[in-house]
Structure formats: C-alpha cells, structure tokens
Amino acid sequence: MGYGPTSTEGIAGSRVHFKDKVEDHHVAEERRLAYVAVTRAKSLLICSSSIWTATRSKPTEPSQFFSALVPLAEGNDPKAEIGVWVKDEDAPEQNPSRLTPLEALWPYDPLEGPQITGGMNRTEFPYSRREVMQEIAQDVLKESEQSQLLTEEGQQWADEARRLLAQREFLSNRERRVEAPEHVRASLFVELAEDPVSVLENLRRPVPRRPGLAARRGTAFHAWIEEFYEKTSMLDLGEIVEPADDYLDQALDLESMKEAFLASEWSQLQPAYVEVPLETRVGPVAVRGRIDAVFQMEDGTWLLLDWKTGRVPHGKDLKSKLVQLAVYRLGWSRLHGIALEDIKAAFYYVAAGMTIRAEHLSDEAELEAMITNAFEQLDR
C-alpha cells in the first residue's frame, strides 16, 4: 500500500527519511573535519572536548570520532602521550555556567560596553571607545571651525563673483527692460527734447550729477529773489534792499544779476505766488517741479515766470526749453481749474535782462505722447 502525498503516514515517513539524511550528512562532515584535524599534526596531536557548553542544560555527547581516540588516552598505543579522559559520571551534574544567572546592567554606556556578571566567565569589554570618540569629536570640531572660516571666505568670493557677473550681464545687455520711475522732474521733458538718448541711458543707469558753479549761482539767485519779494510785500519799492551775504555775492557774481533784475519790469510787479511746488501726472509718471513766480495780470490771465541765470538759448535749443513751461502750465491749469489759454508762461534771463514769452506751448496730449514714447523706447 502506497502513501499519498498528503497522507499523515506519508509526511511522517518523509520526515524520518529526511532526518536520517541530515544525520548522515552531519556524520560525513564530522568525518571530514576529524580527518583534516588528525592528519595535519606533524608530531603532536592535542584533542579536547567539553561536556557543558555555553548555558546548555543538558550535557553534550562527544563525537564518535572523538571517542575513537579514547584508546590513545588509555595508553594502548606506546607512541601516544597519556591523556586525561573524564567520564560522564565524573562530570559536574549541572552546567557550571548556569549556577549563577547571567546578568547585565542596563542602561549602559554604549562607548564603554555592558557590565556582565554571572553565567560564563566573560572577559571585560576590550577597551573603552569613549576616549577615542572624544579625540575624533575634537578633530571634527577643529575641521568644522576651519571649514566655517573657509565657507565664510568662500561666500565672500561667491558674492563678489555674483556682483561681477551681474555687472557683466548689465553691460552686455544695454537694451534690457527698464521700469519707468514713479516720479520725474519737470526738466526731464527738456532733456528728452534736447538729447533723448542720454536721458534714456541715465534712466537705465542713474549717475549723480556733479554740482557746478552755474547751479550754485542759480540756487543763490532764486533765494535772493524770494527774499526780495517777501520784503517788497512789506516795504516801499523805493527802499534799498541790502544783500544778505556780500561774500557769496562776490564769489558767484550775483551783483550784476541783481542790478539787471532791479532794472527790469518784474521788480516793479508783485507776484501772487513765489516758489510754488507743483506735481501733476503726465502719461505714466508724476512730474514734480517748482514755479519761480506766478503773476495775475490785469486782464485776469495768469503768467508763469521762470528765472534763468544762464545764457539765452536760440532756435531748437529754445524750443526744447519751452517744454518745461508747458508742463508748468498744464499743472497750474489742473491745480486751479483754469483753461490753458488763460495761462501764459515766460522765461526771464537775468544776466541778459531779456524776457522770452512762449508763443506756443505743448498741450496735454503732446506732453503725454512725448513721455510715453520715451519710456516705450526703454522697453525695446
């Protein structure tokens, strides 16, 4: 009667067969090891075994190949040294390693190792790793500090490199997009009319202007004019106005300009406003300026006057300068709700004693087209 592959008898028989095969394999391995151990000795063969191993609770049976050496230990072979063979009944009844429990303190220092007591005799942890780890940690800290210094120095070099690359990119891409500023001065319109390329380049990369003697002279004269009108509003026109600072007058040659002004028609008139700050929007930007003097004429119209201390312009140069008066006129019209045709504007060139009245000034649409076209060129 055969056994089916799933029958209990068949499984049990297979297990017995497998166990026998394992035992045969184990014996074959022991035979191989025993042969190697015995045949490798040249003149002295030392064999030892133990009954109790580790923490076993049952004694260990000696190998059959080890038992075959017993006759040598009993002196049956004159060529063999006398050995000691401990019989099972002479061995301790219990495993000595189990007489005291195996214990270890916890928690323990991982760098020192656990302290084990009881059980088998164990050697102490071979060495403490704490001292070694501390030395390594100190080396790491030193390296870290040096790396930090190198990192800071490297960061400085990296920042400098980025700035240089940014400058290179800027110089190699002069046509990059530039955002229009929120505010511009009224004189920017004059500069756009005179030299639009320079204005656009300055907007791309603004450079502070170096103050010159002419600019200081103009500032000083405007201050004197303001002081003059403040005094004449309280004094008779025939009274003498003393200079505020003789040294400044001599340094900037203001005396001749003062004399020219006092001889002009404008010294005999009292303005309604002096040094009027003005801001108005033209196209995409807000324009800021300051009107030197505002007169209300007998016919009810208004005259905006701008003092000039430089040379008298002509032709195209004069036409460009008039753009500034057009901006002032537009701003004054919006501020007071006055029609553009009721507002006149003029320059008074003090050194020459000449008044130049504007015959035609750009209107709102022309000014907006001028500034809009300029900023469109920035985007190209």
Side-chain angles (χ1 to χ4, degrees):
M1 178 177 180
Y3 297 98
T6 59
S7 64
T8 304
E9 296 81 357
I11 295 176
S14 298
R15 292 179 60 183
V16 173
H17 180 71
F18 176 74
K19 183 179 180 181
D20 294 340
K21 290 294 184 180
V22 170
E23 185 64 27
D24 293 342
H25 176 75
H26 179 69
V27 172
E29 286 297 309
E30 283 194 352
R31 179 181 289 106
R32 182 179 62 82
L33 293 176
Y35 173 80
V36 172
V38 173
T39 57
R40 291 302 183 270
K42 184 177 181 180
S43 59
L44 177 63
L45 176 63
I46 300 176
C47 304
S48 64
S49 180
S50 62
I51 296 177
W52 300 108
T53 58
T55 58
R56 293 173 60 90
S57 59
K58 294 182 179 181
T60 302
E61 295 291 335
S63 169
Q64 59 176 316
F65 301 103
F66 192 84
S67 300
L69 300 176
V70 173
L72 296 178
E74 294 176 347
N76 296 331
D77 189 343
K79 296 182 180 180
E81 295 288 341
I82 301 301
V84 178
W85 180 265
V86 179
K87 298 181 180 180
D88 292 349
E89 56 271 17
D90 297 330
E93 295 182 359
Q94 295 183 3
N95 189 342
S97 298
R98 294 174 59 89
L99 296 178
T100 56
L102 184 66
E103 296 178 347
L105 298 179
W106 187 90
Y108 61 87
D109 187 347
L111 299 180
E112 295 289 348
Q115 297 180 1
I116 302 175
T117 60
M120 296 181 298
N121 293 330
R122 289 176 175 266
T123 58
E124 297 182 357
F125 203 69
Y127 63 91
S128 171
R129 293 185 295 168
R130 177 165 298 280
E131 183 177 352
V132 177
M133 294 300 294
Q134 287 179 345
E135 293 179 357
I136 295 176
Q138 291 176 357
D139 293 340
V140 171
L141 289 176
K142 291 180 181 179
E143 291 293 335
S144 178
E145 293 175 355
Q146 295 179 357
S147 299
Q148 181 66 24
L149 294 176
L150 294 176
T151 301
E152 294 177 357
E153 183 178 359
Q155 185 63 39
Q156 294 176 358
W157 282 99
D159 294 341
E160 183 68 19
R162 279 193 291 269
R163 286 192 287 268
L164 292 174
L165 291 174
Q167 181 184 22
R168 178 180 179 181
E169 180 182 2
F170 174 81
L171 295 177
S172 63
N173 188 16
R174 302 298 297 271
E175 298 301 326
R176 63 187 179 88
R177 177 182 177 86
V178 177
E179 296 293 337
E182 295 182 359
H183 301 88
V184 297
R185 62 187 187 281
S187 59
L188 178 70
F189 284 84
V190 178
E191 297 171 1
L192 282 172
E194 293 177 340
D195 189 1
V197 176
S198 297
V199 174
L200 298 180
E201 289 296 326
N202 186 63
L203 288 175
R204 287 191 175 95
R205 191 178 185 183
V207 177
R209 298 185 179 185
R210 182 178 182 180
L213 183 62
R216 290 195 292 269
R217 183 184 296 114
T219 301
F221 179 77
H222 279 71
W224 181 84
I225 285 285
E226 187 175 4
E227 181 182 1
F228 170 82
Y229 279 125
E230 287 179 355
K231 289 186 176 181
T232 56
S233 64
M234 297 181 290
L235 304 174
D236 292 334
L237 294 178
E239 294 189 31
I240 301 176
V241 179
E242 297 293 338
D245 193 334
D246 292 337
Y247 175 78
L248 182 63
D249 289 358
Q250 295 175 6
L252 300 179
D253 191 23
L254 295 180
E255 193 61 35
S256 61
M257 290 190 293
K258 293 178 181 180
E259 293 176 357
F261 172 78
L262 293 174
S264 70
E265 59 178 308
W266 305 112
S267 66
Q268 307 302 316
L269 299 177
Q270 184 65 34
Y273 304 94
V274 177
E275 296 294 328
V276 183
L278 185 69
E279 180 173 334
T280 189
R281 178 162 289 278
V282 180
V285 297
V287 184
R288 293 174 176 174
R290 184 177 293 271
I291 305 176
D292 294 339
V294 180
F295 297 89
Q296 188 169 21
M297 312 308 290
E298 294 181 356
D299 59 357
T301 60
W302 295 84
L303 176 66
L304 312 181
L305 192 63
D306 193 70
W307 316 113
K308 295 296 183 183
T309 57
R311 63 177 182 83
V312 179
H314 299 280
K316 183 179 179 181
D317 190 17
L318 175 59
K319 184 178 179 180
S320 301
K321 294 287 192 296
L322 292 176
V323 177
Q324 183 177 359
L325 295 180
V327 174
Y328 289 161
R329 185 180 70 148
L330 177 61
W332 191 257
S333 171
R334 290 174 173 175
L335 182 62
H336 295 280
I338 304 173
L340 288 177
E341 55 268 19
D342 293 332
I343 304 174
K344 309 300 181 182
F347 287 128
Y348 177 64
Y349 285 86
V350 184
M354 179 183 297
T355 300
I356 299 179
R357 301 177 184 270
E359 298 296 333
H360 172 77
L361 294 175
S362 301
D363 58 15
E364 179 179 353
E366 292 172 331
L367 291 174
E368 289 186 352
M370 179 184 297
I371 194 70
T372 301
N373 292 338
F375 287 120
E376 286 179 352
Q377 294 182 38
L378 286 174
D379 297 336
R380 296 176 183 172

